[in-house]
């Protein structure tokens, strides 16, 4: 199943579930460990979610909460959330997908990002702010940033997706969605995605 299909199918459901079921990150949780694979990129020294199913780990900013993976639909395997209320919300989701070759990473990542923008903002528009090749744990990856606009309210959202070719048999992704854009939460969500490492 393509990553873009997995993401588009369940983004809002996963966001709602993680916001509702999340607990404080700094409380005892088996998935969040300060000794999990560490990264020298953003959020060094913070607890990390070690997502063995997706094969990735990522940092957890202060004030964010880890979601209950049992509340996520297939395709998403872990999440962290800052908040979700009438004004908007912030979430980063991780998951796994089928293998993606290096030469297809950009196209697959951009397609998945657009699918999610359409899902989270069905009556809105989006534009690419960034699309570039990166590495995660020494493996090829691609990150895409979209700025979304809600046609009804004019409000803007921020979406970042990084797709990683973990090996020849699978891929993994981190998806950050924040509304409204241009907030400290958007910078924190970016830091979570950028802190990704492989287990």
């Amino acid at each position: 199943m393509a990553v873009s299909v997995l993401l588009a199918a369940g983004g809002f459901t996963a966001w709602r579930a993680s916001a509702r079921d999340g607990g404080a990150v700094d409380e005892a949780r088996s998935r969040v460990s300060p000794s999990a694979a560490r990264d020298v990129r953003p959020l060094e020294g913070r607890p990390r979610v070690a997502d063995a199913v997706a094969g990735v780990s990522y940092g957890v900013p202060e004030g964010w909460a880890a979601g209950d993976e049992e509340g996520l639909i297939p395709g998403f395997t872990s999440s962290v959330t800052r908040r979700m209320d009438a004004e908007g919300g912030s979430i980063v989701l991780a998951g796994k997908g089928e293998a993606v070759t290096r030469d297809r990473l950009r196209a697959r990542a951009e397609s998945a990002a657009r699918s999610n923008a359409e899902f989270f903002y069905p009556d809105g528009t989006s534009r690419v702010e960034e699309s570039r090749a990166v590495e995660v744990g020494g493996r090829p990856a691609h990150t895409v940033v979209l700025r979304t606009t809600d046609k009804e309210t004019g409000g803007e959202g921020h979406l970042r997706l990084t797709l990683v070719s973990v090996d020849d048999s699978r891929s993994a992704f981190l998806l950050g969605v924040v509304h409204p854009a241009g907030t400290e939460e958007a910078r924190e969500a970016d830091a979570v995605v950028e802190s990704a490492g492989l287990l």
Side-chain angles (χ1 to χ4, degrees):
M1 184 178 295
V3 172
S4 58
V5 173
L6 290 174
L7 297 183
F12 187 70
T13 302
W15 190 358
R16 296 284 299 189
S18 66
R20 182 182 64 247
D21 299 329
V25 160
D26 295 318
E27 293 175 1
R29 298 182 64 89
S30 61
R31 297 186 300 108
V32 180
S33 169
S35 62
R38 295 191 61 196
D39 200 346
V40 296
R41 287 179 284 186
L43 303 178
E44 182 178 8
R46 291 292 305 158
R48 294 180 69 81
V49 171
D51 186 335
V53 177
V56 297
S57 71
Y58 50 94
V60 183
E62 184 175 355
W64 286 61
D68 178 3
E69 64 269 29
E70 293 181 4
L72 300 176
I73 66 164
F76 295 113
T77 52
S78 63
S79 66
V80 290
T81 307
R82 172 70 181 265
R83 67 177 178 92
M84 185 172 173
D85 55 35
E87 301 300 316
S90 310
I91 188 169
V92 176
L93 298 148
K96 62 178 184 174
E98 62 187 18
V100 182
T101 59
R102 183 189 295 265
D103 63 322
R104 295 292 300 157
L105 273 170
R106 177 177 180 171
R108 200 61 80 75
E110 289 181 353
S111 175
R114 284 191 300 270
S115 292
N116 278 279
E118 292 169 4
F119 185 78
F120 282 100
Y121 301 92
D123 297 321
T125 60
S126 65
R127 67 181 186 276
V128 176
E129 291 194 323
E130 179 183 346
S131 181
R132 62 186 172 90
V134 295
E135 285 191 353
V136 173
R139 293 292 299 168
H142 199 91
T143 192
V144 180
V145 177
L146 300 182
R147 178 63 58 99
T148 62
T149 303
D150 187 303
K151 286 185 178 178
E152 290 187 5
T153 66
E156 293 190 327
H158 176 83
L159 184 150
R160 178 183 291 270
L161 181 136
T162 295
L163 177 63
V164 188
S165 176
V166 176
D167 56 35
D168 293 338
S169 64
R170 64 192 173 102
S171 62
F173 61 84
L174 274 83
L175 167 68
V177 182
V178 179
H179 187 87
T183 62
E184 180 62 26
E185 291 175 35
R187 290 184 285 276
E188 289 174 345
D190 281 352
V192 174
V193 175
E194 291 168 359
S195 75
L198 299 181
L199 295 178

